[in-house]
Amino acid sequence: MLSLYPPIRPYAVHQLAVDERHSLYIEECGEPRGLPVVFLHGGPGSGCDPDHRRFFDPALYRVILFDQRGAGQSTPYAELKNNTTQALVSDMEAIRVHLGIDKWVLFGGSWGSTLALVYAQTYPDRVLNMVLRGIFLCRDGDLAWFYETGGASRLFPDAWEAFIGHLPSEEQKSVLKNYYQRLTGEDEVAKMAAAKAWSLWEASCATLQPNAQVTNHFAHPHIAMSLARIEAHYFINHCFLEPNQILKNAHKLANIPGVIIHGRYDVICPLDGAYALQKAWPRSELQIIRDAGHAACELGIASALVTATNTIARHYC
């Protein structure tokens, strides 16, 4: 299996104001004259991590990473106002123009795959190729699977009990709604407690084998608050997408090649979403990783991602 590239530092850092409220943290790594690729983090709300730079050969790629609105080092932190899918797509285009890039490769996992797909359907002429992991189509059924009983709760009943146990019994039938109310309320102690419970539920389901590093990352207060608040905001609003929008617009991807990498035992984003996407997107290749769940750090998924970026680099460079 291929491993991630060694740690690398950015050669340039930018702060880009995209409206009167939001300013985005952007960094560039690798080869300034290399193949441009943009890394799209998950959540929404999780932000970028130094390890995210390591999926790409730094001698071949110009790697652009940015924290989406309200996440990571973008400001204001955990902000929900003017934070929509359409705004993030516009932000990506603003970054592309600001950095003087004609076309780029899109690399995204989980929510990052959603954002990549919506951007590619909006600006298909600006996309060279895509590497997507843990496909999240944001359908109502996808949200119900993870935030209502009868889906992921049946596979992780212990973690689900801890998650809904944060709510009074009379509120446990509307988990998403009642978590959203706490995460957007004025009680800072209740907000932080809800954020941690929300984030730990997701961490519990992220990997095939228990992974303390993933759990600790999700439990970090800075990550937990932005992740929980922004995810709840998006999910209560159906991710600001029309029903089944991504699959309905899959024809707009007709001229874009791509690789879909998905863990066989992904509990957060079950495999059927990736399977349906591949059927609707003929130029895509689906790789099912037989011994993995959802997280990019799982060995089989990480190796497949590095292999995919290497293959694309050899094609274009």
Side-chain angles (χ1 to χ4, degrees), residues 39-44 46 68 107-117 131-138 146-147 202 206 218 227 231 235 239 246 261-262 266-270 277 294-296 301 305:
F39 181 95
L40 304 173
H41 68 68
S46 66
Q68 296 159 30
F107 182 106
S110 196
W111 164 256
S113 75
T114 314
L115 184 56
L117 288 162
V131 179
L132 307 180
R133 173 205 47 95
I135 300 300
F136 178 39
L137 298 178
C138 297
F146 203 62
Y147 293 105
E202 191 164 332
F218 275 74
L227 179 74
E231 281 191 343
F235 298 164
C239 295
I246 291 174
I261 295 165
H262 208 103
D266 190 331
V267 173
I268 296 177
C269 299
L277 176 63
H294 183 71
I301 291 179
L305 291 169

Side-chain angles (χ1 to χ4, degrees), residues 77-106:
Y77 168 70
E79 177 61 62
L80 305 182
K81 188 174 181 179
N82 299 341
N83 198 336
T84 67
T85 303
Q86 293 72 29
L88 300 188
V89 168
S90 295
D91 291 348
M92 288 178 62
E93 186 62 1
I95 292 169
R96 185 191 65 78
V97 172
H98 180 73
L99 297 180
I101 295 169
D102 181 37
K103 296 183 179 183
W104 51 3
V105 177
L106 309 184

Side-chain angles (χ1 to χ4, degrees), residues 22-24 45 67-72 74-79 83 226 230:
H22 290 276
S23 182
L24 304 180
D67 291 327
Q68 296 159 30
R69 295 190 181 204
S74 291
T75 57
Y77 168 70
E79 177 61 62
N83 198 336
S226 61
I230 297 174

Side-chain angles (χ1 to χ4, degrees), residues 230-245:
I230 297 174
E231 281 191 343
H233 166 68
Y234 271 70
F235 298 164
I236 204 78
N237 288 290
H238 307 277
C239 295
F240 303 96
L241 299 174
E242 297 297 323
N244 205 26
Q245 177 178 322

Side-chain angles (χ1 to χ4, degrees), residues 17-73:
V18 287
D19 67 10
E20 70 283 353
R21 179 177 295 267
H22 290 276
S23 182
L24 304 180
Y25 173 84
I26 306 164
E27 60 182 39
E28 299 183 73
C29 312
E31 170 53 57
R33 295 167 296 180
L35 179 64
V37 60
V38 60
F39 181 95
L40 304 173
H41 68 68
S46 66
C48 288
D49 181 271
D51 280 345
H52 295 160
R53 307 166 187 157
R54 301 173 59 201
F55 290 102
F56 315 95
D57 186 335
L60 298 177
Y61 276 101
R62 177 186 180 186
V63 186
I64 297 98
L65 303 96
F66 75 100
D67 291 327
Q68 296 159 30
R69 295 190 181 204
Q73 298 181 69

